[in-house]
């Protein structure tokens, strides 16, 4: 019998113990900075000089490739160890991956004023995601976990999106940029749906089994996961993504968006238990996924109401990239630092409510408001305050050792 004993891991600072720490901190700080920059650009305070990149695409790129992929990187560079048993980067290796992401963000932030920074931004971005993908793919291949191939495929396709967008900027092809952004958004939402399918029923089962103080509640449930719902949701969402990317008729998009929404609604109804409302880190995730379902329905009906169909996509982005990620970061930050996940900081509810208001102001108020830019400013303010509260509540735990003394 062969016994494998992992060498004890050490890092120069607790923030480099696992990927979630430095990437969750970095993504939250970046979420504030990039939204403030977008506000200044949108209101003409900062002049945008990017000849081959318009401001809207720059903003979308940083929300998807900057913020969302940082959160996904932090999650995967933590969770893949639990999935495969393969150690994830820590210490200097983790810092190197993070610095590639940070360098890309700095270069893209400077690119509106200094277009020459785009080359450095593109290079650092591709190297960052190549490093994250390589770590995950290596771990999956080492243990031959074929069930992780869906995640692997999405990571590699996101790398293709990086390259397509960069080529579009380099060659001045706005259509390439647009295609890369839409494809990347759907891939990110696909990753969120995939991770949600894996963790949400598990979180609910374990969460309602105990009271807030950790004592048994006496509630034991086994939440269903249907194979036909899994396959149906995948095929429906794939069809919806392709219909949007290929600019198919509105009725095709509506049918596929409705079908995707119905399948996910069916799944969520099977995962419901009234006890979740006692646990903020359960109901916040559950509500986030329901808002994603609502967003899919908006994509289906808005074109027939004479309203801007992009509002549905914005709702999907804000629910999947904003609400879901901040709720997931709040839970992971508690659990992986050895704290009680059933008693989050009191500020959590407020920061999540602010994210809900951010979505409402960005998606629903513009349907009838005249002063569009002012409404966006209110939405941006809610976004900034939400992440400011996250940093206030979670920074100390993310930069401190685990309270139980374990490396993590």
């Amino acid at each position: 019998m062969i016994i494998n004993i992992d060498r004890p891991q050490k890092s120069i600072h607790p923030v480099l113990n696992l990927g979630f720490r430095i990437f969750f901190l970095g993504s939250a700080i970046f979420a504030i900075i990039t939204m403030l920059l977008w506000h200044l650009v949108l209101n003409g305070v900062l002049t945008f000089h990017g000849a081959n990149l318009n401001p809207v695409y720059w903003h979308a790129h940083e929300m998807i490739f900057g913020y969302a992929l940082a959160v996904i990187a932090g999650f995967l560079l933590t969770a893949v160890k639990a999935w495969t048993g393969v150690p994830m980067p820590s210490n200097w290796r983790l810092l190197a991956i993070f610095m590639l992401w940070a360098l890309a963000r700095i270069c893209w932030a400077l690119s509106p004023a200094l277009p020459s920074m785009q080359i450095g931004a593109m290079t650092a971005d591709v190297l960052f995601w190549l490093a994250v993908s390589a770590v995950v793919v290596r771990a999956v291949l080492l243990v031959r976990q074929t069930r992780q191939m869906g995640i692997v495929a999405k990571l590699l396709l996101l790398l293709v999106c990086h390259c397509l967008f960069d080529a579009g900027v380099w060659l001045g092809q706005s259509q390439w940029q647009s295609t890369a952004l839409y494809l990347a958004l759907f891939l990110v939402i696909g990753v969120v749906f995939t991770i949600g399918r894996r963790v949400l029923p598990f979180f609910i089962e374990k969460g309602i089994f105990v009271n807030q103080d950790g004592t048994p509640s006496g509630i034991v449930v086994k939440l269903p996961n249907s194979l036909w719902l899994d396959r149906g949701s995948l095929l429906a969402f794939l069809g919806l993504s392709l219909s949007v990317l290929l600019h198919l008729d509105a009725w095709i998009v509506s049918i596929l968006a409705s079908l995707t929404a119905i399948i996910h609604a069916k799944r969520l109804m099977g995962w419901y238990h009234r006890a979740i409302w006692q646990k903020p880190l359960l109901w916040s995730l559950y509500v986030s996924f329901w808002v994603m379902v609502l967003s899919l329905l908006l994509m289906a009906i808005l074109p027939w109401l004479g309203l801007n169909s992009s509002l549905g996509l914005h709702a999907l982005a804000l629910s999947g990239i904003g609400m879901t990620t901040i709720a997931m970061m709040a839970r992971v930050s508690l659990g992986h630092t050895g704290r009680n996940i059933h008693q989050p900081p009191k500020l959590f509810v407020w920061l999540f409510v602010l994210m809900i208001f951010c979505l409402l102001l960005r998606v629903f108020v513009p349907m009838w408001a005249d002063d569009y830019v002012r409404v966006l400013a209110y939405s941006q303010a809610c976004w900034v305050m939400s992440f400011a509260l996250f940093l206030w509540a979670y920074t100390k735990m993310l930069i401190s050792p685990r309270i139980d003394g374990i490396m993590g």
Side-chain angles (χ1 to χ4, degrees):
M1 182 176 65
I2 299 175
I3 300 176
N4 288 324
I5 302 177
D6 290 338
R7 290 178 297 176
Q9 290 180 297
K10 294 182 180 179
S11 63
I12 57 176
H13 192 279
V15 79
L16 296 175
N17 285 358
L18 273 177
F20 78 95
R21 291 175 174 270
I22 193 166
F23 273 106
F24 286 2
L25 273 178
S27 62
I29 294 170
F30 174 72
I32 294 173
I33 294 173
T34 195
M35 190 59 73
L36 291 175
L37 287 175
W38 175 232
H39 174 78
L40 295 177
V41 169
L42 198 61
N43 287 271
V45 178
L46 290 181
T47 304
F48 201 96
H49 296 291
N52 293 342
L53 178 63
N54 72 54
V56 174
Y57 287 177
W58 169 79
H59 165 64
H61 179 275
E62 289 306 273
M63 285 292 97
I64 299 170
F65 292 99
Y67 170 74
L69 292 198
V71 177
I72 291 174
F75 180 85
L76 290 178
L77 294 179
T78 302
V80 169
K81 180 179 180 180
W83 297 347
T84 65
V86 178
M88 290 292 99
S90 60
N91 206 21
W92 294 109
R93 290 176 62 208
L94 177 58
L95 181 61
I97 296 173
F98 176 80
M99 290 306 296
L100 286 171
W101 174 83
L103 177 61
R105 305 287 67 78
I106 292 170
C107 290
W108 279 117
L110 295 175
S111 65
L114 301 169
S116 59
M117 300 297 292
Q118 290 175 354
I119 297 176
M122 296 173 190
T123 303
D125 246 347
V126 170
L127 290 176
F128 155 65
W129 198 246
L130 185 61
V132 172
S133 301
V135 168
V136 175
V137 171
R138 174 182 174 273
V140 170
L141 292 179
L142 278 176
V143 297
R144 300 181 181 180
Q145 278 193 0
T146 56
R147 70 187 187 94
Q148 309 294 357
M149 288 304 167
I151 290 287
V152 168
K154 293 180 180 70
L155 298 184
L156 297 179
L157 284 173
L158 281 165
L159 184 61
V160 172
C161 291
H162 268 297
C163 297
L164 180 60
F165 184 87
D166 293 346
V169 173
W170 182 258
L171 298 174
Q173 295 286 338
S174 61
Q175 186 58 50
W176 293 10
Q177 298 170 35
S178 175
T179 300
L181 290 171
Y182 276 107
L183 179 56
L185 173 60
F186 285 121
L187 286 169
V188 168
I189 297 301
V191 171
V192 171
F193 275 135
T194 300
I195 293 174
R197 182 255 182 245
R198 293 185 181 185
V199 303
L200 186 54
F202 174 78
F203 286 170
I204 293 174
E205 289 173 357
K206 300 301 181 183
I208 65 178
F209 178 71
V210 297
N211 298 312
Q212 290 186 338
D213 59 1
T215 59
S217 65
I219 302 174
V220 180
V221 295
K222 181 64 179 178
L223 301 180
N225 261 320
S226 167
L227 181 60
W228 78 265
L229 282 178
D230 287 344
R231 292 176 176 174
S233 63
L234 176 63
L235 292 175
F237 188 70
L238 176 61
L240 172 62
S241 304
L242 291 175
S243 67
V244 174
L245 288 168
L246 298 175
H247 305 287
L248 300 183
D249 289 342
W251 66 270
I252 298 178
V253 175
S254 295
I255 291 173
L256 290 170
S258 299
L259 180 60
T260 308
I262 291 169
I263 293 173
H264 282 284
K266 172 67 174 175
R267 170 181 284 163
L268 286 170
M269 286 188 288
W271 292 345
Y272 177 75
H273 194 284
R274 63 182 183 278
I276 66 171
W277 301 109
Q278 301 173 14
K279 308 287 180 66
L281 294 182
L282 290 182
W283 63 253
S284 58
L285 280 170
Y286 191 74
V287 167
S288 297
F289 279 94
W290 268 112
V291 177
M292 292 175 72
V293 171
L294 174 62
S295 302
L296 291 167
L297 291 176
L298 285 176
M299 291 179 63
I301 66 175
L302 285 179
W304 310 107
L305 298 177
L307 296 170
N308 191 339
S309 59
S310 69
L311 293 175
L313 274 175
H314 270 94
L316 188 62
L318 275 170
S319 56
I321 295 178
M323 293 173 61
T324 306
T325 57
I326 205 166
M328 186 65 76
M329 287 195 296
R331 182 187 172 91
V332 171
S333 298
L334 285 173
H336 282 277
T337 57
R339 290 169 171 81
N340 186 354
I341 57 174
H342 308 298
Q343 293 181 333
K346 294 181 180 179
L347 286 177
F348 172 75
V349 173
W350 292 105
L351 69 88
F352 190 75
V353 169
L354 281 168
M355 188 58 67
I356 293 174
F357 275 107
C358 171
L359 184 145
L360 293 174
L361 287 165
R362 178 62 184 85
V363 175
F364 292 97
V365 177
M367 293 181 184
W368 65 82
D370 294 328
D371 196 340
Y372 182 67
V373 174
R374 176 175 292 183
V375 171
L376 289 189
Y378 293 147
S379 176
Q380 291 163 344
C382 289
W383 173 278
V384 169
M385 289 188 291
S386 178
F387 281 99
L389 289 182
F390 176 86
L391 289 171
W392 182 270
Y394 286 90
T395 295
K396 184 177 180 180
M397 68 179 72
L398 289 171
I399 64 174
S400 303
R402 279 183 62 114
I403 60 175
D404 54 13
I406 298 174
M407 172 70 175

